[in-house]
Amino acid sequence: MVQPKEKRVTNSGGDEERWITSVGIDIGTSTTKMIVSRLKLVRTSSALSLPRYGIAERLLSYESPIYSTPLKSTDEVDAERIWQLLEREYASAGITPRDLKSGAVIITGETANKKNARHILHLLAERSGDFVVATAGADLEGLLAGKGAGAEERSKQTRGAVANIDVGGGTANAAVFLRGRPIGTVTFHVGGRLIQVGRDGTVEAVSPSLRPWLQACGFRLEAGHKADFALLHEICEAMSRDMLDYLAGYAGADGASLSALLLGDPLVPMPAIEEWTFSGGVGELMDARKPMSLAETAAHGDVGPLLAHALKEQALRYSAIRFGRPEQTVRATVIGAGMQTTEISGATVHLDASLLPLRNLPVLKAELTPALLWQPEALSDSLRQIMSQGANLFGRENSPPFVLALSGLGSAGYTEVQRVADGLVEGFRAYFPDSRVFAAICENDIAKALGQSLERRFGSSPKVVCIDQVQVELGDYVDLGEPISGVMVPVVVKTLAFNK
């Protein structure tokens, strides 16, 4: 049972601590689950500065059962039934929405594409408290799963490239981290529910998304056919080998079978993977007994158990890549969000006050270097790549789609600022031509100069919000409040929390 009310204590070292109750709600393609956590926030700023808190400890207080996601139809989620489900789970956890200081509602997988996904997010957020709300496409889902599975932390420890492959019912979302930073995501049509099968081998359904790959590989599999154990094993093995060969750098994306297996853009060039982990429902099945018959394969009505062990066997073939253990498998999702105390931007901001407030903006980060600032072409390529990453992670519909956090501009003079403005405008227009607002946070005291430079280039649209002296990271969400005295902006930073 959780302690439902926030408590405030001061430890022996004099650093102010406080605990908050937070909740993470994951509404996925097949399943919905909720996790309640207690987060210890510790003040990280000095006594003479504005208060700033970081998450120092995470305690899991309650985990709901895993429910089938209720649907009204094939393209509409049943929002009221989800809320009723969550009300029961709140009661079981011993909390009410009033007890929650912060949280996160993430809609993932195919559910993110349902026509009422955005309505559900905001309905749940309004009834539950001040939440981060997000619909996660394949790239963001892979990134969140990689963080939850511990791949991000693991890459900090090993100082090498670590990939987490989150394999669910319909897709496998891979995210690669290097020294604690995400450097690439890619999605495959690989999942346990793509082939649904009965205990006697009768094929009940084959997902349309898998048919091109089956055809390219010469497999004939149709609903109503009888499949034997050897054929299903061969298909799972080939599917696993194609995906892992590509991630390991042994195969390019130009092959017919692999191009049919890829969903979205291929990987950008990146360092060789040194370790991989597997999360998601299929990742969890790797620890179960290997199926040895059709009846054991069809325990869940699909090829998930067989795919899990085919993946494990294939992954162990690569002697240069360690087979790691994820910290979480089926629950490799957010457990909540820690809300940090409101910060105040610097006074040298550039904004149109009528655009504020802006809430729940995801943070995209561009880390620039002095060397990059002096190479116009490389700088332009880098900023364009960051905009591409933003489009993949957060989509192109919202306006603004994200707030761009810029670091490394401390030594920038007039010429370098103009180069950065050129690159930002070019990249933003290419990927977000319909956005009416461009939002940026500068780590250094340079927002006014950069904002004016951006506005001269953008013209009347998009309008520019550019503030400074606020520290945020990729994966944070922020609220930008209405200006104070017309020149300073209050900023609430919300950091997604994962189980440790």
Side-chain angles (χ1 to χ4, degrees), residues 192-193 195-205 225-230 232-233 236 285 289-309:
R193 293 289 288 174
I195 301 174
Q196 297 176 42
V197 62
R199 296 172 68 86
D200 64 349
T202 301
V203 177
E204 296 176 352
H225 288 181
K226 280 281 186 74
D228 60 27
F229 181 78
L232 294 178
H233 185 272
C236 290
L285 288 172
R289 181 174 175 270
K290 180 181 177 181
M292 301 301 291
S293 65
L294 280 172
E296 291 176 358
T297 294
H300 305 289
D302 56 44
V303 296
L306 200 55
L307 176 62
H309 285 274

Side-chain angles (χ1 to χ4, degrees), residues 176-397:
V176 183
F177 299 85
L178 177 66
R179 299 180 181 180
R181 293 181 185 174
I183 56 172
T185 56
V186 64
T187 301
F188 303 88
H189 294 297
V190 173
R193 293 289 288 174
L194 295 180
I195 301 174
Q196 297 176 42
V197 62
R199 296 172 68 86
D200 64 349
T202 301
V203 177
E204 296 176 352
V206 178
S207 171
S209 64
L210 189 64
R211 289 187 183 280
W213 178 81
L214 288 170
Q215 186 173 5
C217 295
F219 292 114
R220 296 188 61 189
L221 202 65
E222 297 290 342
H225 288 181
K226 280 281 186 74
D228 60 27
F229 181 78
L231 174 61
L232 294 178
H233 185 272
E234 186 182 358
I235 290 173
C236 290
E237 190 177 68
M239 196 189 311
S240 302
R241 186 171 55 246
D242 270 4
M243 178 174 72
L244 297 181
D245 274 355
Y246 177 66
L247 289 171
Y250 295 173
D254 50 350
S257 65
L258 189 57
S259 64
L261 207 60
L262 276 169
L263 172 60
D265 297 330
L267 281 170
V268 297
M270 60 180 59
I273 293 171
E274 298 176 16
E275 179 176 320
W276 49 28
T277 55
F278 296 84
S279 62
V282 171
E284 186 169 70
L285 288 172
M286 286 182 174
D287 289 333
R289 181 174 175 270
K290 180 181 177 181
M292 301 301 291
S293 65
L294 280 172
E296 291 176 358
T297 294
H300 305 289
D302 56 44
V303 296
L306 200 55
L307 176 62
H309 285 274
L311 264 173
K312 187 175 182 178
E313 291 164 1
Q314 292 299 310
L316 290 170
R317 290 189 305 116
Y318 302 85
S319 58
I321 304 177
R322 292 187 298 276
F323 187 91
R325 301 286 299 178
E327 293 182 5
Q328 291 287 322
T329 51
V330 72
R331 295 182 188 276
T333 51
V334 291
I335 63 172
M339 184 184 296
Q340 302 181 11
T341 302
T342 300
E343 296 187 51
I344 305 296
S345 71
T348 58
V349 301
H350 178 89
L351 56 87
D352 180 338
S354 66
L355 301 174
L356 300 178
L358 292 169
R359 289 175 51 80
N360 277 322
L361 293 182
V363 172
L364 181 67
K365 189 152 190 178
E367 298 183 69
L368 308 178
T369 63
L372 191 60
L373 294 176
W374 280 100
Q375 302 175 63
E377 289 188 10
L379 177 64
S380 177
D381 290 343
S382 176
L383 292 173
R384 192 178 182 88
Q385 189 172 324
I386 287 167
M387 295 298 175
S388 172
Q389 182 188 22
N392 291 334
L393 288 176
F394 308 122
R396 307 185 189 207
E397 295 179 358

Side-chain angles (χ1 to χ4, degrees), residues 127-194:
R127 295 183 179 181
S128 302
D130 195 355
F131 276 25
V132 168
V133 294
T135 53
D139 291 277
L140 183 56
E141 185 178 355
L143 189 65
L144 295 176
K147 286 171 173 273
E152 180 187 43
E153 284 298 314
R154 182 69 180 150
S155 73
K156 289 181 186 174
Q157 298 165 8
T158 64
R159 308 289 291 169
V162 176
N164 182 70
I165 303 134
D166 191 73
V167 191
T171 57
N173 306 314
V176 183
F177 299 85
L178 177 66
R179 299 180 181 180
R181 293 181 185 174
I183 56 172
T185 56
V186 64
T187 301
F188 303 88
H189 294 297
V190 173
R193 293 289 288 174
L194 295 180

Side-chain angles (χ1 to χ4, degrees), residues 478-489:
V478 300
D479 294 342
L480 305 181
E482 295 181 6
I484 301 170
S485 302
V487 293
M488 292 182 291
V489 177

